[in-house]
Amino acid sequence: MRPAEGAASVVVVPVQYALHKAVEGLGNLLRVPYDLRYLRAENQRLQMQVDELIYQLALRNEIELENIALRELLDLKERSPDILGPDADLLTAEVIGHDPSSLLRYVTIDRGSRDGVQVGMPVITARGLVGQVREVRTNSAKVVLLTDPSSEVNALIQRSRATGIVQGQTGPNLVLRYLPQTEGIAQPGDLVLTSGLGGHFPRRLLIGEIIEVKRSDVDMFQEARLRPAVDLDGLEMVFVVRHFTPIGVDEQADGEGASAGGS
Amino acid sequence: MPHLTVAGVQPDLALAAVVCWALCRGAADGAVGGLLAGLVLDLLSGAPFGVHTFTMTLVGAAAGLAAALVPREHAMLLPGMAVFCTILQQAACVSLLRAAGWPLGWTQPVVVVVIIAAVLNLLLTIILYPWVGRLGRALPQGESGW
């Protein structure tokens, strides 16, 4: 019987295989409508999952960026007694608008008189000085940025200790004016800080870095162009300095509290 | 539009919209559009109140008058008015801000800002014109006709 079974299997097995494949194919064909419906539902479910994950990822990135910004601000808050005096009082604010005009450089923040913000208070970030509060409403305030033409800050060059006045000039850069004509007093790469003179701003806040020096023998003063330390076009969160110790005011005299803006 | 800033200058959506509106509707409607846009800008800006209202009304009226003088099909009308109105608006702004005590003048940084603003506003106006034109045609025309 064995040889006969072997011979039969030679014929039967391919037929059986072919039948099996045909039935399987037919089964698959019959399952197509169901599979289509299932695939559509599955596709929809996966698409929703992808959307959700993209959203979660964007949210996570945003939280990470916010975390970095808040860490910088927290770090500044911890360092603030060294820079702003022992009674330093910083208020976190979010930038909610930029000035629509290209000639003026203002931002609107989400803190106003309700939060104790007053005209003249300095506005800073962890990287340096941003500007000064110019107008206050109940829930918001307008901050004039360093780059606005009406902005003036008493400043000093860190390396040479030469003092001058930093002014805005509409464009993205600043100009440091009224520097003495002494050669080498200002060089590209020098850092410029607030001098604190006048009491309007805390001292030792970073304003920017010198990128170009203009010196002429016929002028009484030399001037330098600065790049602001803070990216003023990309501001998101800032600190309003509600209270700081102005330069030259000792703590005893300051008992009643020196108001921000030196007023 | 702070995210579209180029060298510290951003395109002026309000100005582009007012120029397009005035070219479609004429000087009277252009001036009214400029007045409304200017009032909104004055609320948002750090400039003294009225600066944007005045300059945008001027822009609306000027663009509308130009549309009455030059055939609307003229290829240079739209880009020419976008550039001219930007310069007009910035010049009026500088003059009013100077009068209000701002230390502004026609210095190199201001000229650079005006040139960049003119280019950005030109591009924005070209993009915006079909949309504003459609809106302008959809709304009924006023009686004045100029």
Side-chain angles (χ1 to χ4, degrees):
Chain A
M1 284 299 282
R2 287 260 174 212
E5 269 179 18
S9 71
V10 170
V11 178
V12 169
V13 166
V15 173
Q16 194 179 12
Y17 180 76
L19 273 174
H20 171 73
K21 281 288 169 194
V23 169
E24 193 182 58
L26 192 66
N28 285 342
L29 202 66
L30 291 172
R31 263 211 318 268
V32 163
Y34 168 78
D35 281 352
L36 267 179
R37 214 170 46 224
Y38 170 78
L39 282 174
R40 197 168 291 152
E42 182 68 4
N43 188 29
Q44 223 166 13
R45 192 183 65 79
L46 287 173
Q47 192 57 52
M48 279 169 67
Q49 211 168 3
V50 167
D51 290 347
E52 175 69 18
L53 286 172
I54 288 172
Y55 172 72
Q56 296 264 351
L57 191 67
L59 202 68
R60 215 193 81 180
N61 288 345
E62 195 60 27
I63 288 169
E64 256 176 37
L65 289 173
E66 198 178 330
N67 195 16
I68 291 167
L70 287 172
R71 269 178 198 279
E72 282 182 356
L73 292 177
L74 190 68
D75 181 44
L76 176 69
K77 211 162 187 172
E78 280 168 3
R79 284 187 290 124
S80 65
D82 302 335
I83 303 168
L84 308 171
D87 301 326
D89 180 15
L90 300 179
L91 175 73
T92 317
E94 203 167 330
V95 174
I96 53 171
H98 290 254
D99 197 287
S101 168
S102 294
L103 295 169
L104 303 176
R105 296 284 191 267
Y106 279 77
V107 290
T108 308
I109 55 172
D110 66 342
R111 304 285 191 162
S113 56
R114 200 182 53 177
D115 307 292
V117 176
Q118 288 172 20
V119 171
M121 287 178 170
V123 177
I124 61 176
T125 69
R127 287 163 198 260
L129 185 64
V130 168
Q132 197 175 24
V133 175
R134 188 58 68 85
E135 201 180 307
V136 180
R137 293 174 184 164
T138 313
N139 296 319
S140 66
K142 282 181 185 167
V143 176
V144 58
L145 301 179
L146 287 173
T147 40
D148 188 83
S150 67
S151 162
E152 287 185 343
V153 183
N154 283 309
L156 66 83
I157 297 171
Q158 190 178 44
R159 182 183 55 80
S160 63
R161 314 309 286 174
T163 57
I165 294 177
V166 168
Q167 294 180 325
Q169 46 167 190
T170 302
N173 293 324
L174 307 165
V175 60
L176 174 59
R177 295 191 205 278
Y178 310 118
L179 285 172
Q181 276 285 27
T182 318
E183 205 170 336
I185 212 170
Q187 285 171 2
D190 282 351
L191 294 179
V192 177
L193 313 174
T194 52
S195 67
L197 293 172
H200 294 287
F201 294 96
R203 62 178 170 168
R204 290 186 296 187
L205 285 175
L206 185 59
I207 296 174
E209 182 188 341
I210 294 178
I211 51 174
E212 187 189 353
V213 180
K214 284 183 190 167
R215 187 166 174 273
S216 164
D217 290 337
V218 294
D219 290 330
M220 194 177 276
F221 299 102
Q222 60 179 317
E223 61 182 48
R225 267 194 334 129
L226 315 182
R227 185 188 302 116
V230 179
D231 175 17
L232 297 171
D233 289 328
L235 282 175
E236 287 184 11
M237 292 187 85
V238 293
F239 266 135
V240 179
V241 184
R242 286 193 295 195
H243 198 281
F244 70 93
T245 308
I247 187 172
V249 180
D250 61 30
E251 284 183 28
Q252 282 182 333
D254 196 35
E256 293 171 18
S259 67
S263 55
Chain B
M1 307 175 89
H3 297 294
L4 299 176
T5 299
V6 175
V9 183
Q10 52 192 6
D12 193 336
L13 180 65
L15 182 128
V18 167
V19 169
C20 295
W21 178 251
L23 290 179
C24 291
R25 306 280 299 187
D29 284 359
V32 172
L35 179 87
L36 296 175
L39 282 171
V40 174
L41 290 180
D42 269 329
L43 289 174
L44 301 172
S45 173
F49 196 87
V51 168
H52 291 294
T53 306
F54 175 76
T55 55
M56 294 302 276
T57 308
L58 190 68
V59 161
L65 280 174
L69 297 173
V70 182
R72 290 191 186 185
E73 300 75 30
H74 199 291
M76 290 311 289
L77 178 65
L78 183 64
M81 284 320 295
V83 172
F84 171 74
C85 286
T86 303
I87 295 168
L88 177 70
Q89 191 244 3
Q90 302 280 26
C93 246
V94 168
S95 305
L96 290 174
L97 288 170
R98 272 174 73 96
W102 251 260
L104 266 174
W106 287 106
T107 53
Q108 195 223 341
V110 173
V111 173
V112 170
V113 163
V114 173
I115 291 169
I116 297 173
V119 174
L120 292 176
N121 290 345
L122 165 64
L123 297 173
L124 188 60
T125 307
I126 291 169
I127 295 167
L128 212 60
Y129 187 72
W131 305 94
V132 178
R134 201 173 295 170
L135 180 71
R137 282 189 296 275
L139 294 173
Q141 189 76 32
E143 293 280 315
S144 61
W146 59 278

